[in-house]
Amino acid sequence: MGNKESKKNNKSLSESEIIMLVNNTNFSREEILQWHEGFMRDCPNGRLNCKKFIEVYKVFYPEGKADKFCSHVFKVFDSDGSGEIDFTEFLLAISITAQGDIRKKLQMAFKIYDLDRNGKIEKKEMEKIITAIYDLVGEENRTGENSPSERVKMILNKLDTDQNGYLTQDEFVEGCLADNFLRSLLAPNA
């Protein structure tokens, strides 16, 4: 999505980048240019690193600890693994999370949970993410059925249709579509 050429010189958008973004997001040409202007104001070098990403996220969650969760999200947004998000990666991710259809949002959520990127969410991965979400939102009640491990057991019991101990993307997406409570817990923006 991001490419090495655009990471070297992101001061202005090329016509081909604008056309690609118009075709792959729900933003108009004018909105893309406005987003780009704001991105460049915040990131004059045209790149957003993980530290800056976490700083921005903390504004939205001042009571919580954003570091762990944001690190997971950042890795998904950094589609080429460069350690930085360029404007194209940023806007494609924003488009999916803010405007995308529910399946695309759930697929993005799956990628966030799939920490080792092996195409499945295992119990340990989900526990790490649930803990990171609790940290993010300042959830202090982590006992009984609200503990991350109990929460994960409940989720796996409902979504792991073939009972193999992990979730595939299809199980995750279809399960969240069928269960409003789980969808609001696992992918609140979907």
Side-chain angles (χ1 to χ4, degrees), residues 48-58 69-71 73-74 77 85 90:
L48 177 63
N49 63 27
C50 190
K51 183 178 177 185
K52 178 74 172 176
F53 183 78
I54 291 169
E55 285 174 24
V56 170
Y57 226 90
K58 283 183 177 180
F69 183 75
C70 290
S71 294
V73 173
F74 183 86
F77 283 17
I85 298 173
F90 172 77

Side-chain angles (χ1 to χ4, degrees), residues 54-84:
I54 291 169
E55 285 174 24
V56 170
Y57 226 90
K58 283 183 177 180
V59 171
F60 298 103
Y61 294 94
E63 302 299 315
K65 298 175 189 163
D67 302 46
K68 288 179 192 173
F69 183 75
C70 290
S71 294
H72 299 310
V73 173
F74 183 86
K75 288 176 187 171
V76 173
F77 283 17
D78 178 20
S79 60
D80 65 1
S82 68
E84 297 177 319

Side-chain angles (χ1 to χ4, degrees), residues 18-19 36 44 54 63 83 91 108 169 171-172 190:
I18 294 170
I19 291 168
H36 186 258
I54 291 169
E63 302 299 315
L91 200 63
M108 175 76 76
Q169 183 170 308
E171 287 174 322
F172 181 84

Side-chain angles (χ1 to χ4, degrees), residues 31-168:
E31 289 170 323
I32 290 167
L33 294 173
Q34 288 173 350
W35 274 102
H36 186 258
E37 184 179 320
F39 185 86
M40 293 307 295
R41 189 172 40 251
D42 293 339
C43 306
N45 69 354
R47 296 178 299 279
L48 177 63
N49 63 27
C50 190
K51 183 178 177 185
K52 178 74 172 176
F53 183 78
I54 291 169
E55 285 174 24
V56 170
Y57 226 90
K58 283 183 177 180
V59 171
F60 298 103
Y61 294 94
E63 302 299 315
K65 298 175 189 163
D67 302 46
K68 288 179 192 173
F69 183 75
C70 290
S71 294
H72 299 310
V73 173
F74 183 86
K75 288 176 187 171
V76 173
F77 283 17
D78 178 20
S79 60
D80 65 1
S82 68
E84 297 177 319
I85 298 173
D86 67 15
F87 177 71
T88 301
E89 291 168 318
F90 172 77
L91 200 63
L92 288 168
I94 291 295
S95 178
I96 291 170
T97 57
Q99 301 175 319
D101 72 38
I102 193 166
R103 283 188 182 276
K104 286 185 179 179
K105 288 180 182 183
L106 290 170
Q107 289 166 353
M108 175 76 76
F110 179 87
K111 289 179 182 179
I112 292 169
Y113 283 83
D114 183 14
L115 300 178
D116 61 8
R117 297 184 178 187
N118 67 353
K120 55 189 174 186
I121 302 171
E122 288 124 348
K123 183 180 177 191
K124 285 184 179 184
E125 288 174 311
M126 189 169 285
E127 283 182 12
K128 285 180 183 178
I129 292 291
I130 296 290
T131 300
I133 291 171
Y134 281 3
D135 289 347
L136 180 68
V137 299
E139 175 62 59
E140 293 180 18
N141 176 16
R142 301 178 189 203
T143 59
E145 66 182 33
N146 206 41
S147 72
S149 61
E150 287 301 311
R151 201 47 93 179
V152 168
K153 281 183 195 172
M154 183 266 298
I155 292 166
L156 286 173
N157 283 339
K158 285 191 174 189
L159 300 186
D160 185 14
T161 55
D162 59 8
Q163 298 297 303
N164 60 5
Y166 61 84
L167 300 178
T168 64

